[in-house]
Every structure is written in C-alpha cells, then in structure tokens.
Amino acid sequence: MSARSTRGLLAALCAAVALGGCGVGAGDGPGAPVGLAVTRDFGERALIEIDDAKVAGADTVMRVLRRNATVQTRYGGEFVQSIDGVAGGRRGGRPVDWFIYVNGSLTDQGAGAVDVHGGDRIWWDHHDWGLTPDVRAVVGSYPEPFVHGDAGKRLPVRVECADPNAGACKVVADKLIALGIPIGRSNISRSAADDTLRILVGPWSKLRGRDAEAVAVDAGPRASGVFARFDASGEELAVLDPRGATARTLRAGSGLVAATRAKDRQPVWFVTGTDDAGVASAARALEEGALSNRYALAVSDDLPIAVPARAR
Amino acid sequence: MFHVRRASPLHAARAPVAAAYAAALVTAVLAFENPLVLGAIAIAIVAAAMLAGVGRMLLRAALFGVPFALVIALVNPLVADQGLTVLLRLGELGPLGRLDVTGEGLIFGAVLGLRALLVVLAGGALLGATVDADELLRGFRRISVRSALTAALAVRLVPVLGRDARRLADARRCRPGATPRPGAAERLQIVRAVTTGALDRALDVAATLEVRGYATPAAKGGRRHLREPWSRHDLAFAASATGLVVLACGARLLGVGGFDAYPLTVVATGPSEWLLAVAIVAVAILPFADRRGVLR
C-alpha cells in the first residue's frame, strides 16, 4: 500500500470516528443536574432520591445508577438484576422487575444504551408486571418531560382543552408557563404531530374517544398503562391495583392526572375528572410535590390517591 | 512431554507430588483476582522454574502464552461494559451496540490475561518440565489400567510422530527441484503420510501389547512394587502444595486478597494482602532450599 493511500485510509478512519460519536475520554458532561430516583411498588417506597446525581462525562443511565447505588447486573452488565439488594424475579408468585423511566417515558433500550442529558430525571422502579410490563409513560417525573424533553431535545408543548375558557385549562397553562415552558393552547385536536407533548384537559366524558391515547385509557391498563378507568358515563372513576382489580371507586368531584404513550409518539397527559370540579382538582394537583414518583394520580376531595392503588 | 531430568529438588520429588505442587500453584491462580496476590504467584512460579532449572522452558511457554493473554486482555474491554471510567468512546457498532472502553474493563482484562498466562506456565510448562509423565501414569495405573495405558501410549507416540514428520520433510527436501519450504499441497502429503504411519504403528503397538499379555485379566493389577518411603523432597513439596491450597482457601474464606473489578476497580492492598503475598512466595520456594540428596 502506498504512503498516499495509507494517508487517505487514515483520514477516512478519523472522519468515521469523529462522525460516529467516538472520542477519547468520558466526553462532555451534562450541563444541568441529573435527578435519580429508585423506588419500589410503583413509587410507593423510595429507596434513593437524589436531585443532583453523580455523573461523569457522557454517561449512560446504567453508569449513573452504578455511580449512585449498589447494583448487580446480568447479561454482561446490560440489565439490572438488583439495586441495593432488591432483585428482579418472582414475589408471591407474581413477576417483579426493574423498569426505567427517563423524563417520564419507559426506555425501550437497555440502560447501557441510553445516554443521559442535562436535567434528565431518571427513575428506576421495581414492580409487579403480571398485568402489563408496558407502562409506557408516567407523571412522576413532572415537570419533565415538559422542561427538558426527550433525549436532550426540548419538545413543543400544547395544552388542548375541551373548553379553552374553563378555569382548569388556564390553571394548567399558567403552571407550565411559570416553569418557563412556551406552550400553545387549543381545542382537542386529532392531528397532533408525533413529536409534540400534549396535555388534554377536560372532563372524561368530553375527552373520551377524541384521541387514540384516550381510547387506549378506556381499553384498560394493558393498552395504556394507566391503572384507572372511567365508567360508561364518565361520572365514576375506578382506581385499580397492580393486578387490575378495582381498589377504590371515586365519584363526583374526582380528578385524574395520568399519562400514556403510543408507539413512536411523544407522551400524552390527561388532566381530567368525573366533572368540572374533578378536572379543577386534577389541575391543582399538577405540582411536582404531588406527582413525584407517581405513575398516575387520582384526586378526591383534593386528597391525592396513588395510581395504581396498593393491592389488598 | 518435554520433561528433562534436572538436578533439582522438584525433579527429585516423586511425580505425583511434583504434579500436586504444580496443581496447587494453578489452584492459587484460580482462587485470586487480586493483582498483588497474582504477582506474588507469578514470582513463585518463575522462581520455582528457575530453581528447578527449567527457566528456559518456562520462557518458551511464555512466548506461546503471552499472545493468548494479550488477546484476552484486549477482548475484555470490548465486551464488558460495566466500568465507570470511560477512556475511549467507540460509538455505535452495529449489533454490538454502544461500545465504550473503560479503565475497569482494561484492568480486569489484564487480570484475566495474567491468570490465563499463569495457568499455562504452572499447569503446562512447569508441570510438563518437572513431572515425569510415565511415572505419573504408572501411579494412575492402579486406578484405571486402560486409561493409564491409553494416556501412556499417547504421551509416547506424539514425539515419535513428530520425528516421523521431520524425517518425511527432510526426505521431501532431498528430492530434485524441491523448494526449501513445503507448499500447502506438500504439507498435506506429509500429514497424510504421518497419519498413515500412525495408524500402522498403532496396529503394531496393539499387536505387541497383546502378545505381551496386556489383554489378559492378570495384567490389570500390574506388577506389585514395594512402596518406596517418602523422601525429604517428597515431604517438602507435599507440604508446600498443601500449604498453598490452605493459604488460597483460607484467604478466600477470610476475605483476604479481595478484588472488585466493577463498577470501579478496588484492589485490596492492606497488610494482610502483603502478608499473603509473601507467604505464597515463601511456601512455594522453601522446598528448594534443601538440596541434599539431589543428583548432580
């Protein structure tokens, strides 16, 4: 091989390395603090909660966990077996395992393949997945994904209301604006772009059937990952336990804050209720403190109820 | 197979004892991942080989073993993604996924490579150079005469076949127009000739053994030998082998010589680890101090 062709080959190799995201060292670190939560039983019991987790360079979700917790892995370090001694497997005859949410969305890759970005909130939860392993979106990382978006990219946010003049619609919009999030407001739309984060606000009777994600919620936890169901009239809200059984039935004045996600689309949040009073309660509950580590939140008489409810 | 009689205490010990000594060194290698302890075992193996007069053979084995150790050391950081200190980001590599080379992966790869090399040196070179395979197999005959006979024949015939191959290669070079090095077709011819020769020889050996009465039931027990008393070298190396195994097991049970590869490399290097390292070297080379009765 001539010197000229060798130089050309080296130049091509360097270009390929540079374009392929390769480099020497750990890479640039995230510019903003990364939050890490490790919980059990759908967020019921917190094992670790760190607002500013230890991160070095361009870490992955797995490395952030390993820097901040005692972890045992399997399959060559790609999958977590146990965190702080809590292991996946079976409990009481039911399958349990660790699930990862980054900014409120279930990751579809191994933790070693997911990059961490500034401001991300990483949530590991150990729970029963006998009913469904596919709870694709949760509200417990609020105000994410609205502030930092997905994979380091901020996303457009739209508040869609059944009645744009309703008080609850204004409350939700004002809360997001207060967080510095530019939002758009509109009626319920059927033609949302896939990369838009949407919050649907209104009584369930007016949201029902208006959207593919709303149809999924009516189809139950297996379809939507939301462990709550409204009755046919939309005036009763059943809060389900992890096995899908009704744990509580809420009536007039009850609200629900929940999220779901269709394949290849961004999450859709619901701020809804059995009636206008219930929607207003749900809108008031749209707070970091109330939603923290919740898969979804029901509100009855302004009292928060974790969703899914604890199994009896 | 390359056993050569040397004037050393290890060669003076009976074969099973010398083999147990080598096996104890291998056990110690397999028991630890701590680089400090592995370093001590490496010193013990090299010192034992030199004191036994087989240092050159150990070096020759190392020349074969080092490339394998290097392969292990280099492959591990590419397949293990559990370390936290990223040294090199290789990006997404198709089905392999994201590939990051970490310091911990490199260190553990080096440890695995070193262990593989030490196993080759202790369990291959030192054992082969200091233990008379025939003597070892004679002892084995009491347990299984057929297995011992098979192993003895294999041990004996492999060098014979090697010499056959060399003779055939010499003969090939004597032919008019032959090149100094055989081509692929010529190599194949030599292998075919050697294999044919080996099968013929095997038939001859089987016939000879049958004629000598090896097929009769009386041969199963073998001749009865008077038991030789244990020499001081037998006792010393047996004690050393036992000591090495006890040290390895005891240290593991007591948690001495700990090593965590991931997520961050943690090497225990406290006084107990240093004491263990010194003890391993001392126990391994002390039997060489007594050279009385060693043939010169």
Side-chain angles (χ1 to χ4, degrees), chain B residues 54-151:
Chain B
V54 295
R56 193 178 289 273
M57 291 173 190
L58 199 76
L59 186 65
R60 207 180 301 154
L63 291 178
F64 283 103
V66 165
F68 289 110
L70 281 176
V71 167
I72 293 170
L74 292 175
V75 165
N76 184 67
L78 297 178
V79 297
D81 186 28
Q82 300 175 62
L84 294 183
T85 312
V86 178
L87 302 178
L88 207 58
R89 287 167 289 122
L90 300 178
E92 294 284 337
L93 291 183
L96 293 175
R98 182 195 172 109
L99 216 58
D100 290 335
V101 175
T102 64
E104 291 79 13
L106 278 173
I107 291 170
F108 193 53
V111 166
L112 291 176
L114 178 61
R115 287 175 87 193
L117 179 63
L118 293 181
V119 167
V120 167
L121 294 184
L126 189 65
L127 180 81
T130 58
V131 177
D132 183 351
D134 289 335
E135 191 187 338
L136 194 64
L137 289 168
R138 270 200 297 277
F140 188 52
R141 194 172 59 181
R142 287 185 204 144
I143 303 164
S144 169
V145 67
R146 285 186 187 181
S147 305
L149 184 62
T150 308

Side-chain angles (χ1 to χ4, degrees), chain A:
Chain A
M1 190 183 285
S2 70
R4 193 170 172 180
S5 59
T6 306
R7 277 199 298 273
L9 192 66
L10 279 174
L13 192 66
C14 290
V17 163
L19 290 172
C22 312
V24 177
D28 295 329
V34 171
L36 174 68
V38 180
T39 63
R40 293 183 70 171
D41 303 327
F42 296 94
E44 195 174 303
R45 278 187 284 168
L47 303 177
I48 295 171
E49 278 188 289
I50 307 170
D51 291 333
D52 189 359
K54 282 184 261 179
V55 182
D59 261 352
T60 60
V61 168
M62 180 65 90
R63 288 209 186 96
V64 171
L65 179 69
R66 298 192 80 144
R67 284 184 204 286
N68 294 276
T70 306
V71 181
Q72 283 191 329
T73 57
R74 54 186 163 168
Y75 307 125
E78 281 298 308
F79 292 92
V80 164
Q81 171 61 25
S82 75
I83 303 175
D84 284 359
V86 180
R90 294 190 85 79
R91 188 176 61 193
R94 308 272 303 171
V96 289
D97 225 319
W98 286 102
F99 293 82
I100 324 160
Y101 295 90
V102 177
N103 291 345
S105 288
L106 184 70
T107 61
D108 53 4
Q109 294 173 289
V114 180
D115 290 324
V116 171
H117 303 89
D120 278 354
R121 292 199 178 188
I122 304 165
W123 179 12
W124 288 82
D125 185 60
H126 179 269
H127 66 244
D128 176 340
W129 56 271
L131 184 65
T132 174
D134 205 17
V135 181
R136 294 185 291 272
V138 295
V139 300
S141 297
Y142 182 83
E144 302 304 339
F146 303 109
V147 178
H148 290 97
D150 180 37
K153 194 177 81 172
R154 274 186 90 153
L155 299 168
V157 180
R158 197 161 74 201
V159 178
E160 297 180 11
C161 303
D163 177 5
N165 296 318
C169 186
K170 186 174 183 314
V171 169
V172 171
D174 287 349
K175 286 189 173 184
L176 294 174
I177 290 166
L179 291 167
I181 303 163
I183 60 159
R185 278 173 73 173
S186 69
N187 290 314
I188 306 291
S189 165
R190 286 175 184 272
S191 58
D194 291 345
D195 61 349
T196 299
L197 289 166
R198 299 161 64 217
I199 305 181
L200 272 54
V201 184
W204 190 250
S205 55
K206 293 185 179 171
L207 299 184
R208 169 172 277 159
R210 301 283 297 273
D211 187 272
E213 282 81 359
V215 171
V217 171
D218 266 338
R222 280 203 181 93
S224 65
V226 177
F227 287 75
R229 287 177 101 157
F230 287 91
D231 72 348
S233 66
E235 291 172 357
E236 278 189 4
L237 172 62
V239 177
L240 311 179
D241 68 14
R243 299 179 183 212
T246 301
R248 288 185 72 166
T249 303
L250 309 177
R251 295 191 171 81
S254 302
L256 176 71
V257 183
T260 188
R261 183 175 187 171
K263 192 169 166 44
D264 299 328
R265 286 175 64 151
Q266 292 299 332
V268 173
W269 284 45
F270 297 97
V271 177
T272 184
T274 52
D275 47 27
D276 287 336
V279 178
S281 287
R284 282 194 295 277
L286 196 68
E287 295 284 347
E288 187 176 347
L291 297 177
S292 179
N293 297 347
R294 306 282 197 199
Y295 273 58
L297 184 76
V299 189
S300 178
D301 297 328
D302 280 333
L303 292 174
I305 299 162
V307 178
R310 186 185 294 187
R312 287 179 179 174

